Amino acid sequence: MTETKNQGGIFVAAFIFIALSISYLLFSLHPLWNAEAMYAEVPREMLESRDFLYPTLNYAPFIFKPPLFFWANALSIWLFGHHFGPRVPQALFAAGTVVFAYKIASRSSRLSGLMTAGVLATSYGFVFHTAELLPDVPLGFFTACAVYYFLKISDGKNRTFGLWASLAMAVMTKGFLGLIFPGIAFAAFIVVERRRDMLKNLFSIPAIAVALAITVPWHILMDLRNPGFLYDFIINEQVLRFFNERVPPDWDSISSPLFFLITLAWMMPWAVFLLQGARMSVRKRDANLRIALYWGLGGLAFLLLSSQKMEYYQIPLLPPLAILVGGYLAALAETGRPASGISATEPFSSIPAAAGSILLLLIGVAGAAAAPFLFNKFSADIPAHHGRTLLVIAEICFISLCAGGLASFIFVRKSKFRAAFASVLIIGIVLCAGTKPALDALLPEMSDANLAKTAAKFLKPGDLLVVQAREEYEYSAVYCYYTGRKVIILRDGVYPMVPSVFNDRANFIINNHEFKDLWKSGARVFLAGRSKPDNLISLISAPSRVIYHGSGAVICNTETSKRD
């Protein structure tokens, strides 16, 4: 019976992984956004230079991030080409995260695992960020692996090599933050659950040696090649960033209250059940729910205390939140207890589920009513036809919240909890499906890929490409990726923000005076940017020719013809 059960679990996990890998890959197939292009361009330059130790961006040192995500993308680009390549690892890491969340929750019951997988796979923020290249997604995967192996060790099984290898890979993905989230969860579990007996099994010298072998060589070699690297990489980029004392400072950060609200938004439509899931984990002595509580809330508390945080930093914390929600909903379905006669404070009470369903209905009604007003107020910079598309998508999503919330409430009142779960699952699918056309409509606002592809058609050996500065110099990577060459960035006030001073050989940022001299130098120069053609031409005060205009423009200082 146990062998059959294990085989069934493997089959389900394989099905989840394959189905979600394909779905997430298709979801993420769009031209590179400016903010994500660095995670494709650095691997492309690695493949071009055959130097996989020392990352470069725009052919200048880029030694501010761990290399594992770059290596994975470089391998994928080599295998699958420039179009599919950058997207494949992200899709696999996301699908793998859902699988490990399923495996963790399945330790309580198969239904808990399935519902957890459904919750995480259709959580809006989790799916949304599979469309953007971010190391936080593989960080979530390796953290989930580490938690799974930790729980296996708590059962008395020897999984120390898997645990420490997962932690090492997390460090090579996101630095020492890879130790923070699992470290908080493990420490809280050992102390609160009085499992000090696990310590002797956790700290295996051979397993730790494997972890050091994975992490230490790259750091030492980088410091030998670039003296001072360890201080800048560990202290400046990681420790000082926590206190917002990094040099140069991050140009944007969000407040702790807003960060918390965004976390709830990323968990929609399941966030309405999160509180009861957390309360149940406190009352029910289930190691799998307890570790999810420590992992999710402990990691969230750490990020809320940080002075510098972005809206995607909580991605590695979505799996434990999904486990809490999936555990609660599975407990309702397994007990089948109706709401009548049960106190809302009981761990298996369905009253919070009914209240959550009503809340989904109210959010849908309020959103559907407010959407036209909000779009009229905030969509001034979006083309009218794109604005109409976004409004239609928003209305469909809000209507699904209304219908799904009402259906879930009715099913909860009838104690048909599996049907209630299915109703909310459909809401999640609609929300996630609506994200794809919405992102496609917003693509011109999020990406200069069309400008870069246009320039690539005309650029010839010896030509120079100058691009208007954006907030961070990494955003110019989209031009590098689609043209396959170094670009020059035209400074705009304090922009672009750069993490260090480049040497003369690597410097690629110029001011207006230098640009005007370059334009008249006799070399064939292209200028690309998000401004209208007239605005670009006004920067030059010299003859120029517009070769493209749309969401921005590309102009040249000489006659042009498309490259053969």
Side-chain angles (χ1 to χ4, degrees):
M1 177 66 73
T2 302
E3 183 178 354
T4 303
K5 181 179 179 180
N6 290 338
Q7 290 177 346
I10 293 173
F11 174 81
V12 172
F15 176 80
I16 291 172
F17 180 76
I18 294 172
L20 291 181
S21 295
I22 296 172
S23 299
Y24 291 154
L25 178 60
L26 295 176
F27 180 82
S28 65
L29 288 179
H30 56 77
L32 290 169
W33 300 338
N34 295 344
E36 65 172 341
M38 73 181 96
Y39 296 111
E41 173 58 16
V42 171
R44 189 197 67 80
E45 293 182 21
M46 284 181 169
L47 291 170
E48 181 180 298
S49 66
R50 295 294 188 265
D51 187 345
F52 297 94
L53 172 67
Y54 201 66
T56 62
L57 178 64
N58 203 11
Y59 302 91
F62 190 72
I63 53 176
F64 321 109
K65 296 182 182 295
L68 191 144
F69 193 43
F70 296 138
W71 291 342
N73 287 345
L75 176 62
S76 184
I77 291 172
W78 181 70
L79 290 173
F80 304 109
H82 283 63
H83 180 63
F84 288 97
R87 302 297 181 184
V88 173
Q90 185 91 333
L92 297 181
F93 281 127
T97 304
V98 177
V99 169
F100 270 93
Y102 160 78
K103 290 171 71 69
I104 292 170
S106 291
R107 290 166 48 84
S108 299
S109 72
R110 177 64 59 81
L111 183 61
S112 179
L114 291 172
M115 287 191 169
T116 293
V119 170
L120 183 58
T122 58
S123 291
Y124 173 75
F126 185 80
V127 176
F128 174 85
H129 286 103
T130 63
E132 181 179 8
L133 298 180
L134 287 172
D136 301 80
V137 174
L139 174 62
F141 170 74
F142 290 120
T143 303
C145 292
V147 170
Y148 175 74
Y149 290 125
F150 176 86
L151 289 171
K152 286 291 188 180
I153 294 172
S154 74
D155 295 338
K157 298 180 179 179
N158 184 9
R159 296 293 187 272
T160 51
F161 283 98
L163 170 65
W164 284 97
S166 299
L167 293 175
M169 300 294 269
V171 170
M172 294 297 286
T173 300
K174 193 74 174 180
F176 289 99
L177 186 63
L179 299 177
I180 297 296
F181 294 150
I184 291 173
F186 298 165
F189 185 89
I190 290 171
V191 172
V192 178
E193 305 302 318
R194 300 179 180 179
R195 291 298 309 272
R196 294 177 181 84
D197 58 295
M198 292 181 60
L199 293 175
K200 63 179 182 296
N201 296 324
L202 286 176
F203 295 98
S204 164
I205 293 178
I208 295 175
V210 169
L212 293 175
I214 293 173
T215 56
V216 171
W218 181 80
H219 289 82
I220 292 178
L221 290 172
M222 286 293 291
D223 194 65
L224 290 174
R225 186 165 176 176
N226 194 77
F229 163 79
L230 287 178
Y231 174 84
D232 186 68
F233 184 74
I234 297 174
I235 304 301
N236 185 49
E237 291 292 329
Q238 300 182 56
V239 177
L240 295 182
R241 174 171 287 195
F242 180 85
F243 301 100
N244 204 23
E245 296 293 332
R246 170 181 175 263
V247 179
D250 291 287
W251 72 275
D252 63 348
S253 180
I254 57 178
S255 66
S256 293
L258 179 58
F259 185 83
F260 179 77
L261 292 176
I262 291 176
T263 303
L264 296 179
W266 289 156
M267 279 298 296
M268 286 298 290
W270 306 100
V272 295
F273 308 114
L274 184 56
L275 177 60
Q276 187 64 8
R279 293 176 65 218
M280 191 187 79
S281 69
V282 173
R283 296 188 172 216
K284 184 180 180 183
R285 301 200 63 83
D286 184 321
N288 311 301
L289 294 177
R290 289 294 183 90
I291 194 72
L293 180 70
Y294 306 140
W295 173 11
L297 298 190
L300 184 59
F302 173 82
L303 292 176
L304 289 173
L305 291 173
S306 173
S307 299
Q308 203 289 324
K309 44 192 168 290
M310 301 295 288
E311 70 278 0
Y312 51 81
Y313 281 6
Q314 64 275 72
I315 294 174
L317 305 180
L318 299 183
L321 301 184
I323 292 171
L324 294 176
V325 173
Y328 166 61
L329 297 176
L332 279 181
E334 289 167 342
T335 58
R337 298 174 68 179
S340 57
I342 301 177
S343 169
T345 60
E346 290 294 323
F348 300 120
S349 171
S350 60
I351 293 177
S357 301
I358 290 296
L359 184 56
L360 288 176
L361 172 61
L362 295 176
I363 293 173
V365 171
F373 169 77
L374 294 176
F375 271 88
N376 289 334
K377 186 175 179 62
F378 297 108
S379 62
D381 297 330
I382 301 175
H385 63 285
H386 288 163
R388 289 191 295 270
T389 299
L390 293 174
L391 180 58
V392 170
I393 294 170
E395 293 286 9
I396 291 173
C397 291
F398 286 127
I399 290 172
S400 74
L401 282 166
C402 295
L406 179 60
S408 176
F409 175 76
I410 292 172
F411 287 130
V412 167
R413 297 304 298 171
K414 293 182 177 180
S415 299
K416 296 181 178 180
F417 300 113
R418 286 176 172 82
F421 173 84
S423 301
V424 183
L425 185 70
I426 292 173
I427 297 176
I429 293 172
V430 172
L431 293 180
C432 296
T435 302
K436 176 62 174 173
L439 291 177
D440 290 342
L442 289 171
L443 183 65
E445 310 302 319
M446 303 172 69
S447 175
D448 289 353
N450 285 338
L451 299 175
K453 291 177 180 179
T454 299
K457 296 176 182 178
F458 293 89
L459 285 165
K460 299 177 180 179
D463 292 348
L464 300 176
L465 176 60
V466 181
V467 301
Q468 277 188 305
R470 302 298 298 274
E471 293 86 351
E472 299 187 39
Y473 94 101
E474 292 96 328
Y475 290 1
S476 65
V478 70
Y479 290 95
C480 300
Y481 189 78
Y482 287 112
T483 64
R485 63 174 64 207
K486 179 179 179 177
V487 303
I488 301 169
I489 302 176
L490 177 59
R491 184 178 293 280
D492 181 11
V494 299
Y495 297 136
M497 302 287 286
V498 295
S500 68
V501 177
F502 298 108
N503 58 43
D504 292 338
R505 184 178 179 183
N507 187 42
F508 47 80
I509 301 174
I510 61 175
N511 57 37
N512 282 348
H513 179 73
E514 293 169 321
F515 171 66
K516 291 179 180 179
D517 289 343
L518 182 65
W519 193 262
K520 301 175 184 178
S521 65
R524 200 165 80 139
V525 182
F526 291 79
L527 173 62
R530 300 297 295 276
S531 299
K532 295 179 179 179
D534 291 344
N535 293 337
L536 286 182
I537 293 173
S538 68
L539 297 173
I540 302 165
S541 301
S544 59
R545 293 166 179 81
V546 177
I547 61 175
Y548 171 84
H549 65 90
S551 57
V554 180
I555 62 177
C556 185
N557 63 348
T558 64
E559 292 289 347
T560 59
S561 61
K562 286 191 177 182
R563 194 176 52 181
D564 294 334

